[in-house]
Amino acid sequence: MVSLSTFDYVLIIAFFMITLFIGIWVSKKSGKNSSEFFLSGRNMPWWLLGLSMVATTFSTDTPNLVTDIVRTNGVSGNWVWWAFLITGLLTVFVYAKLWRKSNVSTDLEFYELRYGGKPARFLRKFRAIYLGVIFNVITMSAVTLAAIKIGSIMLGLEPWQTVISAGLITVIFSAIGGFKGVVYTDFILFFVAMGGAIGAAYYLVNLPEVGGIAALMTNENVVDKLSILPDLSDKRAIITLLIIPLAVQWWSSWYPGAEPGGGGYIAQRMLAAKNENHAIGATFFFNIMHYALRPWPWIIVALASLVVFPDLTSIQDAFPNITKDKLGHDLAYSAMLTKLPSGLLGIVLASLIAAYMSTISTQLNWGSSYIVYDFYKQQINPNASEKRLVAVGRIATVVLMIFSALLALLLQNALQLFEVLLVFGAGTGLIFILRWFWWRINAWSEITAMFASGIISLVLKLTPVGVYFFGAEDGIFPDWSEFPVVVFLTTIAWLIATYLTQPESKEVLHDFYKKTQPGGPGWRPIIDKAKDEEITLKNTSKGWSVPAGILAMILGCVLIYSIMFATGYWIYGHTTYALLLTLLAIVSGYFLLKIWSRIKANIL
């Protein structure tokens, strides 16, 4: 537990007051109609949306998650989420413009644009609850759990005290300010959170017991954790930490913020952009910041924690008030922050509060948009006025906050939830990628994939089958060994369902194609038949941009991974590697600009 100075309290209170002021300031315009409340009138610039995406994913559980990964599997363990860069850049260069063209209010409204009939309506309503409530509450509870651990270690707060104090202001400004309030506050939250993370890393690595960056790199507790790539001689590490994430996980699994083909709150921001170019610019900026630069302050603190708190026993000894059900390696980040001096401590605490508020406010607004547009308006009150829709959105915001807070009190660590969410969405990602470009996919394909993934995951986790084949104990699988199995079985299930059920009607397929113009060989049968009937579907003035988009995705991956590796090697002091990777980043960036000019011309 730390003692806050008057200056620390002034910084934190000032931050709260600014945040509340923004929420109140925009509340009148945000409450005008549902489009303003959830999408800010679809007139947001790329830079503001990009910063908002970064701030949103800068949550209190992320430093804890990264710390847990580094202490358990080393820096290379982060490939379990670094692999999602491929998903992110595919969204940037292929799907962002399609989402903006669709002009839907939520990504779930897409279901009744792409599919038709009762299956489409069921899918939209069911996923409104499945994602907007269940998955959303789980995600927010992980963020709140991190806040509980920070409050417990740094301030000596009881879990319920942290939940009430952290959640109250967040839910107030989220409920009154809507999407505009969320995005405007994210602008401030981004700089506060980044400043706090960098300041903490710089100070903590120079603690006397750590001895600076050079001493850290040679410490016996750290040297075997530094590699950015898994040990090539360790087959299990290569398979679970690199091959599965890069070959299977990025395209096959649905995860909040990294949905294949775009979705969730990332789609919400693309839908709120001024136009397709702004949607692409926002998501590209987000991916650069999210993967290339932001992780390193957390990684440095995690490595330093191995010197100060080499094991769980040392954390427990230093903080005896921590209960066993909350004790884990993710606590090391909060434990390190207790060593910060006055002033910097206030800034870092404000940054952690900022991280919490930005993520929770986004999840609340996004989740309530599902409840309002995709469930309430569709199922309960189709003729609801705009004023009623905004009121329901605000009520849903409060209810989601309460549910997530209650669940957070029952959880143990962030990595536990990360693995559960990944496996539960395994096998569904390929549909989200292909449904834009393959006419034969229908609503039953998605329904089958959604249920098959969940049922197969539960069977493998909770039955003797999982124990026999994967060595599962108490529902926990070592090294995610079940993940490829869930992906394979789920994919087989939805492919069978696709061919056993009727395709979508000609009218639905025609309307979808005319509006979004996805192009590609997957739509050739529909286009050819339409030509025979003298129906024009395709805009022949523009070519298919997907090949250029995929090339841009590859170059973007090279660029961002090069920046990420180069940043790490500059920190490590490996100058030769850092220079070579910096040069590779410059070259790949040059060619990416060339490809981007072609894609941009195709859009305009």
Side-chain angles (χ1 to χ4, degrees):
M1 178 177 170
V2 296
S3 178
L4 297 180
S5 67
T6 302
F7 183 51
D8 293 325
Y9 280 114
V10 169
L11 287 171
I12 294 170
I13 292 171
F15 171 75
F16 275 133
M17 295 302 295
I18 291 171
T19 304
L20 272 177
F21 171 76
I22 292 173
I24 295 170
W25 177 49
V26 303
S27 61
K28 186 175 182 179
K29 189 170 183 180
S30 295
K32 186 168 65 173
N33 56 57
S34 58
S35 178
E36 284 288 345
F37 190 78
F38 293 116
L39 293 172
S40 190
R42 300 183 189 269
N43 197 35
M44 284 284 182
W46 68 269
W47 57 271
L48 189 55
L49 291 172
L51 285 173
S52 177
M53 292 181 194
V54 181
T56 293
T57 53
F58 200 140
S59 58
T60 43
D61 65 320
T62 314
N64 291 20
L65 172 65
V66 171
T67 300
D68 199 340
I69 289 172
V70 170
R71 288 173 63 92
T72 305
N73 295 315
V75 174
S76 63
N78 285 286
W79 280 102
V80 298
W81 66 275
W82 283 344
F84 282 124
L85 171 64
I86 306 172
T87 304
L89 291 188
L90 194 65
T91 298
V92 171
F93 294 113
V94 175
Y95 294 99
K97 67 174 186 177
L98 296 173
W99 278 111
R100 191 61 187 85
K101 280 182 178 179
S102 72
N103 205 38
V104 294
S105 298
T106 70
D107 57 315
L108 296 190
E109 187 180 333
F110 169 88
Y111 289 124
E112 291 196 73
L113 174 66
R114 174 63 178 83
Y115 311 126
K118 290 182 179 179
R121 291 193 292 273
F122 165 79
L123 191 57
R124 182 179 179 182
K125 289 179 286 193
F126 181 83
R127 284 184 74 82
I129 302 301
Y130 182 66
L131 298 181
V133 178
I134 299 174
F135 261 66
N136 197 22
V137 164
I138 291 173
T139 303
M140 288 192 294
S141 66
V143 178
T144 305
L145 172 65
I148 288 173
K149 293 191 174 188
I150 291 169
S152 178
I153 282 188
M154 299 190 69
L155 303 174
L157 297 176
E158 293 293 325
W160 67 268
Q161 293 174 317
T162 302
V163 166
I164 292 176
S165 58
L168 190 59
I169 292 181
T170 306
V171 77
I172 289 174
F173 91 78
S174 299
I176 64 175
F179 183 75
K180 190 184 292 290
V182 170
V183 173
Y184 282 5
T185 53
D186 278 349
F187 178 79
I188 297 173
L189 300 179
F190 167 79
F191 291 103
V192 174
M194 281 300 297
I198 294 171
Y202 180 81
Y203 182 87
L204 293 172
V205 82
N206 289 295
L207 288 172
E209 51 264 60
V210 178
I213 194 70
L216 178 65
M217 295 298 107
T218 57
N219 187 280
E220 61 180 359
N221 294 338
V222 174
V223 288
D224 63 339
K225 303 286 188 181
L226 291 174
S227 178
I228 298 175
L229 293 173
D231 183 0
L232 298 179
S233 63
D234 186 341
K235 287 185 178 180
R236 188 172 69 171
I238 286 290
I239 291 171
T240 58
L241 297 180
L242 196 63
I243 293 177
I244 289 177
L246 285 177
V248 180
Q249 179 182 303
W250 72 268
W251 58 263
S252 64
S253 184
W254 185 97
Y255 185 77
E259 300 87 347
Y265 54 78
I266 300 298
Q268 185 186 33
R269 277 150 180 76
M270 291 188 288
L271 293 169
K274 287 182 178 181
N275 54 44
E276 293 133 51
N277 279 323
H278 280 268
I280 293 172
T283 46
F284 187 54
F285 177 76
F286 158 66
N287 279 279
I288 291 176
M289 293 300 299
H290 183 58
Y291 293 98
L293 300 176
R294 191 174 57 183
W296 284 105
W298 302 330
I299 291 172
I300 294 303
V301 173
L303 293 171
S305 76
L306 288 165
V307 179
V308 181
F309 302 104
D311 51 34
L312 292 180
T313 302
S314 61
I315 298 176
Q316 181 74 82
D317 292 343
F319 304 95
N321 61 314
I322 298 298
T323 58
K324 287 188 176 181
D325 68 313
K326 296 289 189 270
L327 183 64
H329 284 292
D330 56 339
L331 280 175
Y333 189 83
S334 305
M336 291 295 290
L337 298 183
T338 62
K339 298 184 175 295
L340 295 175
S342 175
L344 181 56
L345 177 62
I347 293 173
V348 170
L349 274 174
S351 77
L352 292 172
I353 295 169
Y356 171 84
M357 294 175 71
S358 64
T359 302
I360 293 295
S361 61
T362 289
Q363 295 286 150
L364 289 172
N365 187 265
W366 165 60
S368 62
S369 73
Y370 281 2
I371 294 171
V372 169
Y373 281 126
D374 303 301
F375 184 78
Y376 178 79
K377 190 175 181 181
Q378 294 296 310
Q379 181 73 19
I380 299 175
N381 190 358
N383 300 315
S385 65
E386 289 296 320
K387 186 176 180 180
R388 172 61 64 86
L389 293 178
V390 172
V392 172
R394 286 172 169 161
I395 294 170
T397 298
V398 176
V399 172
L400 288 173
M401 186 72 230
I402 293 172
F403 283 164
S404 65
L406 293 174
L407 179 58
L409 297 173
L410 305 175
L411 296 175
Q412 184 174 356
N413 66 67
L415 185 58
Q416 175 187 33
L417 274 180
F418 181 79
E419 294 178 355
V420 169
L421 288 176
L422 273 182
V423 175
F424 232 72
T428 60
L430 190 59
I431 285 187
F432 302 139
I433 291 174
L434 293 180
R435 64 188 182 181
W436 294 87
F437 298 108
W438 185 24
W439 72 275
R440 190 59 181 82
I441 287 178
N442 59 28
W444 289 109
S445 308
E446 291 212 31
I447 293 170
T448 302
M450 180 175 60
F451 283 103
S453 177
I455 293 170
I456 293 168
S457 297
L458 289 175
V459 167
L460 293 181
K461 283 184 175 296
L462 302 179
T463 68
V465 175
V467 177
Y468 180 81
F469 285 104
F470 302 104
E473 295 180 5
D474 299 325
I476 303 299
F477 281 84
D479 302 320
W480 298 0
S481 54
E482 87 284 13
F483 187 85
V485 176
V486 178
V487 170
F488 176 76
L489 294 178
T490 300
T491 303
I492 294 297
W494 74 256
L495 282 172
I496 291 173
T498 300
Y499 284 106
L500 288 181
T501 54
Q502 291 294 317
E504 297 299 334
S505 69
K506 180 174 62 176
E507 292 75 21
V508 168
L509 296 174
H510 287 183
D511 288 344
F512 174 76
Y513 196 96
K514 286 178 181 178
K515 189 165 191 177
T516 62
Q517 293 288 302
W523 285 95
R524 179 56 55 191
I526 302 302
I527 294 172
D528 290 343
K529 287 182 180 179
K531 281 183 179 179
D532 293 339
E533 299 174 12
E534 298 183 350
I535 299 173
T536 302
L537 297 181
K538 190 175 180 181
N539 185 346
T540 55
S541 63
K542 298 177 182 179
W544 193 37
S545 64
V546 170
I550 292 174
L551 180 57
M553 178 196 76
I554 295 170
L555 288 170
C557 285
V558 174
L559 170 65
I560 294 176
Y561 282 138
S562 296
I563 296 173
M564 182 180 73
F565 282 12
T567 304
Y569 285 127
W570 283 118
I571 293 171
Y572 290 177
H574 298 170
T575 307
T576 302
Y577 288 153
L579 283 171
L580 289 173
L581 286 164
T582 301
L583 179 62
L584 180 59
I586 294 171
V587 172
S588 58
Y590 171 79
F591 285 108
L592 180 59
L593 285 174
K594 294 285 188 181
I595 295 295
W596 165 243
S597 63
R598 288 166 50 189
I599 296 174
K600 188 175 181 180
N602 186 276
I603 293 173
L604 293 175

